[in-house]
Amino acid sequence: MTTSNQGDTLIVHGFAGIGWSEALPPGSNEIGLELNTDSCRTRTAAGHTTIQCDVTQYPTWPFKGRTTGKIDSPPCPPFSKSGNGKGAHDFPLIQQTVEDLSRGRDTRALHGAACQDPRSILTAEPMRWHYDLQPQWICMEQVPSVLPLWEQCAGILTRWGYDTATGVLDAAGYGLGQHRKRAVLIASRTHPVALPAATHGGPGQPAHRTMADTIGWGYTHRPAPTVTGGGTATGGAEPFGNGSRQAMRRAIGTPLWRDRGVPHLRPTPHECAALQGFRPGLRFHGRTGSQYLAIGNAVAVPFADAVIRAAAGVGERELAVAA
């Protein structure tokens, strides 16, 4: 763990991973709270201040009065199409926990014990930090099915005096060579906010970046399908879902596909990282499965850059993936 100067203002990043951190401009003074050892090693080696911890057990008081921004991407498996689907059953419990936390009542343990998936309650965790820290700006991201919860959070933040915006955005619209739809919440106590306008794929804009242009093979006319963390809890061998692979096989041998001369459709971790918009040379620690998991679970870098700038007005860098 490395620390910032005691008097500095901070960006506090829960469930940290690596994507949001790579999107922040240098000097942002971000602290990431992350449990996974390989992810912590990746973050530290990349120069991102990191505390290895269970976010749900970490106190908020060290950051009170110092937090400019708060970023969260809670785990998505309970809600994702490739997950177990138990998050839908747990949704009312999560919503009640969010409402309780917004009023200073901590019912995480009570409602978490009743959830079918113990990870579901983690999606309520950011509200504990928002209530205690009252950051100037907020960014949150999850799979599209979580949008109703983000809308609930936006209503609470509006009551507190924040300006908010919510919606589902596709990262391909910001120059990424991958279709990746995510539910987003942004909020600010200091200025009006709006979801960032797409920069690619619209009238008068550059075309979407293709999969083949990004990694040298695959679709020649469109971005890649969504990169996932793999097929198992530790990162499986197939970062593309079964339905996506079937569609890709139908394109092979047509002008819509650029072949690479191997019999499978599995990208390497390096190729997955490129499809997520990570800078060349960024090293992901751990075994191959752990690398797939960290890359597939991350927020795409150019997408995160656009969302952060919309929420906070920080970062003058160009989008990480060029037109």
Side-chain angles (χ1 to χ4, degrees):
M1 165 186 168
T2 56
T3 58
S4 301
N5 293 331
Q6 193 66 25
D8 290 344
T9 58
L10 304 171
I11 297 170
V12 181
H13 183 182
F15 310 101
I18 187 69
W20 291 104
S21 304
E22 285 290 296
L24 286 164
S28 296
N29 209 18
E30 171 229 20
I31 291 184
L33 310 179
E34 172 60 49
L35 181 61
N36 181 271
T37 296
D38 287 335
S39 292
C40 288
R41 292 174 63 202
T42 297
R43 287 182 52 82
T44 300
H48 303 301
T49 302
T50 304
I51 300 172
Q52 185 169 11
C53 66
D54 180 345
V55 174
T56 68
Q57 302 301 310
Y58 205 81
T60 60
W61 64 261
F63 309 109
K64 283 189 177 181
R66 305 174 60 203
T67 302
T68 300
K70 185 69 173 69
I71 298 173
D72 286 284
S73 289
C76 67
F79 311 98
S80 67
K81 291 181 179 179
S82 59
N84 58 30
K86 293 180 179 179
H89 172 274
D90 297 336
F91 222 83
L93 295 165
I94 305 167
Q95 290 177 308
Q96 185 59 56
T97 305
V98 166
E99 183 63 30
D100 292 342
L101 288 169
S102 76
R103 299 181 184 277
R105 296 181 61 240
D106 188 352
T107 56
R108 291 174 299 158
L110 173 66
H111 294 143
C115 287
Q116 289 190 3
D117 189 319
R119 297 169 295 184
S120 294
I121 205 67
L122 296 175
T123 311
E125 178 66 22
M127 187 54 68
R128 175 171 75 99
W129 295 77
H130 299 159
Y131 178 84
D132 286 352
L133 301 183
Q134 299 287 309
Q136 289 184 19
W137 57 265
I138 292 167
C139 292
M140 295 203 290
E141 172 263 2
Q142 250 277 21
V143 293
S145 60
V146 175
L147 181 61
L149 187 69
W150 282 179
E151 292 171 339
Q152 177 192 2
C153 293
I156 292 166
L157 293 170
T158 299
R159 294 202 308 262
W160 294 352
Y162 285 83
D163 195 75
T164 66
T166 59
V168 175
L169 303 176
D170 186 349
Y174 305 91
L176 193 74
Q178 173 199 169
H179 280 303
R180 190 178 189 87
K181 292 184 177 180
R182 290 295 184 264
V184 170
L185 179 153
I186 60 176
S188 173
R189 285 198 292 109
T190 61
H191 62 271
V193 297
L195 296 180
T199 58
H200 290 65
Q205 295 178 337
H208 283 144
R209 187 172 176 83
T210 71
M211 177 181 177
D213 283 344
T214 304
I215 61 173
W217 63 275
Y219 287 117
T220 59
H221 67 300
R222 52 154 285 180
T226 301
V227 172
T228 73
T232 72
T234 56
E238 298 294 349
F240 295 131
N242 183 54
S244 295
R245 296 198 308 276
Q246 291 181 23
M248 294 163 90
R249 289 190 183 98
R250 291 192 291 270
I252 294 175
T254 77
L256 304 179
W257 187 264
R258 185 185 300 166
D259 201 17
R260 59 169 176 168
V262 297
H264 62 77
L265 295 169
R266 183 174 63 252
T268 65
H270 173 76
E271 290 169 336
C272 286
L275 289 170
Q276 284 280 62
F278 285 108
R279 56 186 163 92
L282 179 64
R283 181 187 174 192
F284 291 85
H285 287 256
R287 295 178 180 270
T288 301
S290 182
Q291 294 177 41
Y292 278 128
L293 192 67
I295 296 166
N297 285 346
V299 60
V301 176
F303 175 77
D305 182 41
V307 172
I308 289 169
R309 287 189 283 112
V314 300
E316 298 299 326
R317 69 163 66 180
E318 296 295 322
L319 293 179
V321 180

